[in-house]
Amino acid sequence: QNLGNLSEAYALYEKVFQLSSSTYSRSHPMTLNAYDGLSSVHILRKEYQRACDILEENMSFKAGVCDEAHPLCMGAIGSLAMVKKYLNKNEEALALHEKLCGIRLQNYGARHPETVRANASRAVLLAEIERGEEAFRLINNCLSDAHAIFGSKHQTYAEYT
């Protein structure tokens, strides 16, 4: 997928999806991951509505297999939030970001890199939809948490500053 040949990547994801569906089931984790792979190619092609459709359909299958706090769902929630943002569905994107932040906070705690990353993404969206005060407070919390986690000389902390 990262080699630039998106058509070939898409064909491979489709093949894996079909094989996994017929070998296991539509709701098997391998099949769900393959279908998410199809959505990632649509994202790279900037075909956001198709990616959104795939992610939403796949989330309905995931709901029958695992809790939203499962890593299989958390990644898809983040991807769906990003796609909703690209589609200018900012309130839906924000709701998904908030859901993801809540799940990561519950699973990992406030001072975990994944929680900080989710909150930073939410802060960026808040800034983009002109909710600057909220974004400023949240990004300052992210900086404080990133400093506590990584220290001031770590590359990840530097990226947040």
Side-chain angles (χ1 to χ4, degrees):
Q1 178 175 331
N2 291 329
L3 299 176
N5 190 342
L6 295 178
S7 296
E8 186 176 331
Y10 193 82
L12 290 171
Y13 277 122
E14 264 189 333
K15 188 171 190 167
V16 170
F17 173 71
Q18 295 301 326
L19 286 170
S20 186
S21 292
S22 62
T23 305
Y24 303 113
S25 70
R26 175 60 179 90
S27 58
H28 188 275
M30 288 274 297
T31 309
L32 297 169
N33 280 334
Y35 208 53
D36 280 344
L38 290 172
S39 75
S40 68
V41 174
H42 285 291
I43 292 168
L44 291 170
R45 288 179 173 169
K46 299 183 186 320
E47 298 168 348
Y48 302 124
Q49 187 57 59
R50 182 64 183 127
C52 184
D53 294 343
I54 288 171
L55 287 165
E56 286 178 334
E57 179 185 351
N58 219 24
M59 285 300 292
S60 68
F61 279 96
K62 289 177 182 180
V65 176
C66 58
D67 186 80
E68 285 182 328
H70 190 280
L72 193 61
C73 290
M74 283 192 291
I77 292 169
S79 295
L80 188 56
M82 177 183 64
V83 169
K84 294 283 188 177
K85 179 183 153 216
Y86 290 146
L87 292 170
N88 293 314
K89 297 180 177 181
N90 294 325
E91 292 305 317
E92 291 178 50
L94 185 57
L96 289 163
H97 275 296
E98 289 171 352
K99 177 188 282 191
L100 183 59
C101 288
I103 292 168
R104 291 195 190 275
L105 179 62
Q106 183 177 347
N107 284 0
Y108 306 131
R111 293 218 163 145
H112 187 279
E114 291 298 321
T115 306
V116 173
R117 188 180 350 266
N119 278 315
S121 294
R122 185 169 57 131
V124 168
L125 179 60
L126 284 166
E128 288 176 359
I129 61 173
E130 300 181 10
R131 289 171 58 179
E133 286 183 32
E134 288 175 78
F136 184 74
R137 276 193 307 275
L138 186 56
I139 204 65
N140 278 329
N141 289 341
C142 290
L143 287 170
S144 174
D145 291 340
H147 185 268
I149 295 167
F150 303 113
S152 61
K153 296 185 180 188
H154 192 278
Q155 177 184 356
T156 304
Y157 176 72
E159 290 172 6
Y160 281 114
T161 59

